[in-house]
Amino acid sequence: MKKLLLGNEAVARGLYEAGCRVASSYPGTPSTEITEYAAKYEDIYCEWAPNEKVAMEVACGAAIAGARSFCAMKHVGLNVACDPLFTASYTGVNAGMVIAVADDPGMHSSQNEQDSRHHAQASKTMMLEPSDSAECLAYTKLAYELSEQFDTPVILRLSTRVSHSRSLSETAERVDNGVKDYVKDPQKYVMMPAMAKGRHVVVEERFQAETAWAETASINTVEYNDTSIGVIAAGISYQYAKEALGDRVSYLKLGCVYPLPVELIKEFADKCDTVYVIEQLDDFIETHCRKIGVDVIGKEAFSFCGEYSQAMIAKAIFSEEKKSLQADVAIPGRPPVLCAGCPHRGLFYALKKLKVTVSGDIGCYTLGALAPLGMIDTCICMGASVSALHGHNKAREGSNRHSVAVIGDSTFIHSGVTGLIDIAYNQGNSTVIILDNSITGMTGHQQNPTTGYTIKGDPTAAVSLEALCKAVGINRVAVVDPYDLKQTEEVIRQELEADEPSVVISRRPCALLKYVKHNPPLHVDREKCTSCKMCMRIGCPAISIKEGKANIDFTQCVGCDVCTQLCKFGAIQHKEG
């Protein structure tokens, strides 16, 4: 039957229909929903792994053991998983193994733009790229067939617009291939140098066979219309081109983006007077075309940065200016902000009073960089806050007295704990603050190893952050409630003055968690309000100035009492009764 599916939902459906048995992932927008949807199928074992490297290693182990496996991540997560990826390309698989990576052109929720096609090329791993939900489902199933045909992991490359858009998809029944026999084969699976040398030869031979397959693959399609202009595209770029240019040009749509065909591209180019390559981010297809002697127009007409659009493509190729509507009033910007009642707000306010340098990390708490809090100095990648703080303090003598790292509970488990080990082992003196909001917040409330629940909500072992920090060599571990501004400030000040490394756990559940019970909303006694605007300094979206006085939006306020601690005139109060 046909269903309207989200791109990520369609991938999950493809996993189910293809007989996938084991899925291990780490949440990362825009890939997160794949594993969440897959977890709804009882036939698929699903888990959240501590990080992407572990997830891919789990998938590798399951595939070698004989079960079709899967792991998903966003583009920067693939960086973390590259170590097993490059070697899995050598070992190959037993049962099929599919890796979904979701790129984020335009950086809607990411710290960089990154073209994951380079990882496919560097690791010599086949990569398919769907352009809509129907192809997400079909390509997922095809990826398992190719994985087993060519004895290789296969990467499914998505993008934000494909992952998070809906289109019709044809669903089918699950085909369960069972679990294949496992046969001990050290020459294939033990990548010591002597064995790896032999496997590299296999990889190169496989690449030639994959390229031959790509020449006639049904997912690499040609559509001849007016041959004065030809367009080569893949994924969402193809959809944009079709909408912008219609049947005024001819198309070569590439469903397999690595390895890329050679003769198919040459034949298409020979039949077209001018050929454009339309691809977001890097000139991956364009470079391949030039390498095989095909003259194309690519990045000289299009940008390396950000997302493309139908209007951009129409203008670049036909010099058409698409009509658009524009408001005749200046609409104020609406930057992202920490939610009302967010536990991180009180912590950042305390840090601001202490005038410290803050080494930041990846999570919703990164919003602490924005005004009026403005308390994140750096943000590099998952786990970097801890390691970077150690480097900062080793480089600048005495800086440990006025610098801290902030890192979320999930991010700490992901890759922050190794930085903490580095601090303890190498006799550093840094103060690390773990923002424990009892969930993986930024990607939409996924469980993690500290919460005590699995992806399906089943109770499980929970990592004790206090015990873990002490186990790696940190003797000073304190816990504060960030809603208590005085306690939070005093404890951090005390740890900054200590002559040894320390960890402060800022513990308060995310205000958006369903099980969190909130206090009644606060209100402002306008007679007592002096318009000092102290309450505005915490940047709570529930607080505004109305007719010269502080005002609290009762639909947003959760009664956290942080603002009451700032008001020296008792104007912010709980409603009586």
Side-chain angles (χ1 to χ4, degrees):
M1 64 184 295
K2 289 187 176 181
K3 290 185 177 181
L4 190 64
L5 299 179
L6 196 71
N8 285 344
E9 184 181 7
V11 173
R13 180 69 192 186
L15 299 178
Y16 170 75
E17 293 182 12
C20 175
R21 286 176 169 265
V22 176
S24 180
S25 304
Y26 183 82
T29 306
S31 72
T32 307
E33 296 90 352
I34 300 174
T35 309
E36 290 181 326
Y37 278 112
K40 296 181 179 180
Y41 295 106
E42 293 300 325
D43 298 285
I44 307 175
Y45 166 78
C46 292
E47 68 174 30
W48 289 128
N51 61 34
E52 296 86 357
K53 179 178 183 291
V54 172
M56 188 170 293
E57 290 161 350
V58 170
C60 287
I64 292 171
R68 284 189 168 184
S69 67
F70 172 78
C71 61
M73 60 208 69
K74 66 185 295 179
H75 60 293
V76 286
L78 188 56
N79 299 335
V80 179
C82 267
D83 199 356
L85 171 64
F86 277 63
T87 302
S89 177
Y90 273 39
T91 65
V93 298
N94 180 12
M97 174 179 167
V98 174
I99 303 156
V101 57
D103 285 3
D104 189 19
M107 294 178 283
H108 298 280
S109 57
S110 307
Q111 66 266 42
N112 63 41
E113 286 185 302
Q114 177 180 305
D115 195 325
S116 294
R117 293 176 296 180
H118 295 296
H119 279 314
Q121 182 179 42
S123 64
K124 298 191 175 177
T125 305
M126 179 177 271
M127 175 180 275
L128 310 182
E129 183 169 358
S131 66
D132 60 20
S133 296
E135 290 183 353
C136 283
L137 197 163
Y139 285 19
T140 300
K141 296 167 70 173
L142 175 62
Y144 279 109
E145 295 174 12
L146 295 170
S147 177
E148 293 172 357
Q149 177 182 342
F150 293 110
D151 190 15
T152 177
V154 174
I155 303 172
L156 192 70
R157 183 194 186 218
L158 307 171
S159 64
T160 301
R161 299 304 180 184
V162 172
S163 289
H164 288 164
S165 63
R166 293 183 183 272
S167 59
L168 282 176
S169 305
E170 188 82 32
T171 62
E173 295 301 314
R174 177 177 172 88
V175 177
D176 195 337
N177 297 288
V179 178
K180 294 187 176 183
D181 292 337
Y182 166 72
V183 179
K184 185 181 179 72
D185 189 353
Q187 293 295 321
K188 185 177 191 294
Y189 296 123
V190 180
M191 286 301 95
M192 297 167 60
M195 288 77 151
K197 289 175 183 177
R199 292 302 299 178
H200 189 190
V201 174
V202 173
V203 169
E204 298 303 331
E205 292 173 346
R206 182 185 74 206
F207 175 77
Q208 298 302 321
E210 290 171 344
T211 302
W213 175 86
E215 297 289 358
T216 60
S218 61
I219 61 173
N220 292 335
T221 59
V222 177
E223 178 188 332
Y224 287 113
N225 298 305
D226 187 334
T227 56
S228 60
I229 295 177
V231 167
I232 302 175
I236 197 64
S237 296
Y238 166 76
Q239 298 286 8
Y240 291 160
K242 282 285 287 184
E243 289 187 31
L245 310 175
D247 59 4
R248 292 179 291 172
V249 305
S250 296
Y251 299 93
L252 170 55
K253 177 183 178 295
L254 296 171
C256 179
V257 292
Y258 190 81
L260 289 163
V262 176
E263 297 306 321
L264 180 62
I265 292 175
K266 287 182 177 180
E267 180 183 345
F268 177 76
D270 286 342
K271 294 182 179 180
C272 297
D273 300 332
T274 303
V275 178
Y276 286 85
V277 174
I278 302 177
E279 54 185 334
Q280 293 182 142
L281 301 179
D282 293 340
D283 52 351
F284 190 84
I285 300 172
E286 178 186 347
T287 298
H288 173 76
C289 290
R290 297 189 190 283
K291 181 180 178 181
I292 62 176
V294 174
D295 187 27
V296 297
I297 299 172
K299 291 302 180 182
E300 62 264 47
F302 299 98
S303 173
F304 281 92
C305 301
E307 289 188 292
Y308 289 0
S309 68
Q310 296 86 337
M312 174 198 292
I313 292 171
K315 183 176 182 180
I317 294 182
F318 288 128
S319 300
E320 295 177 349
E321 291 284 352
K322 295 290 185 180
K323 292 182 179 179
S324 61
L325 296 177
Q326 187 172 350
D328 56 1
V329 294
I331 300 175
R334 189 181 181 186
V337 64
L338 294 171
C339 303
C342 176
H344 307 327
R345 180 174 284 106
L347 172 77
F348 282 126
Y349 183 78
L351 294 177
K352 189 166 188 174
K353 287 189 67 178
L354 292 168
K355 299 179 180 179
V356 294
T357 298
V358 180
S359 179
D361 222 296
I362 306 297
C364 45
Y365 48 88
T366 317
L367 293 170
L370 304 179
L373 295 168
M375 285 310 295
I376 296 284
D377 287 79
T378 61
C379 178
I380 303 169
C381 65
M382 296 281 283
S385 62
V386 182
S387 311
L389 176 65
H390 178 61
H392 179 94
N393 289 340
K394 287 294 185 181
R396 301 182 67 86
E397 185 176 353
S399 63
N400 59 289
R401 302 295 186 188
H402 46 80
S403 64
V404 301
V406 294
I407 184 168
D409 49 334
S410 180
T411 311
F412 180 73
I413 294 296
H414 178 285
S415 49
V417 66
T418 48
L420 191 64
I421 292 171
D422 190 40
I423 290 173
Y425 175 67
N426 288 299
Q427 301 177 339
N429 185 5
S430 297
T431 300
V432 174
I433 304 175
I434 302 174
L435 288 71
D436 182 7
N437 64 350
S438 307
I439 204 70
T440 306
M442 185 173 64
T443 49
H445 289 177
Q446 291 77 34
Q447 304 295 338
N448 67 64
T450 72
T451 66
Y453 295 94
T454 68
I455 189 173
K456 292 180 180 289
D458 297 327
T460 187
V463 173
S464 166
L465 292 173
E466 295 95 317
L468 178 59
C469 293
K470 290 182 178 180
V472 304
I474 304 298
N475 297 319
R476 300 180 64 93
V477 179
V479 179
V480 300
D481 178 355
Y483 279 2
D484 187 334
L485 298 181
K486 182 178 180 182
Q487 179 211 28
T488 300
E489 180 183 345
E490 287 178 352
V491 169
I492 295 173
R493 188 189 303 276
Q494 180 180 339
E495 298 310 319
L496 286 170
E497 295 172 353
D499 292 324
E500 60 178 306
S502 59
V503 168
V504 176
I505 301 172
S506 177
R507 178 166 289 150
R508 168 70 69 159
C510 171
L512 299 183
L513 289 173
K514 293 180 180 179
Y515 67 80
V516 173
K517 294 183 179 180
H518 298 303
N519 294 322
L522 300 163
H523 81 288
V524 177
D525 184 333
R526 295 178 64 83
E527 295 296 323
K528 292 184 177 180
C529 178
T530 64
S531 303
C532 69
K533 299 182 181 179
M534 275 293 295
C535 55
M536 297 293 291
R537 295 188 181 186
I538 55 172
C540 178
I543 306 175
S544 62
I545 298 297
K546 187 174 182 179
E547 298 176 355
K549 300 283 188 175
N551 181 73
I552 294 179
D553 180 356
F554 73 91
T555 65
Q556 295 190 67
C557 179
V558 299
C560 70
D561 275 326
V562 170
C563 58
T564 64
Q565 298 170 65
L566 301 180
C567 182
K568 305 303 181 185
F569 304 97
I572 300 177
Q573 304 169 354
H574 287 278
K575 288 186 177 181
E576 295 182 3

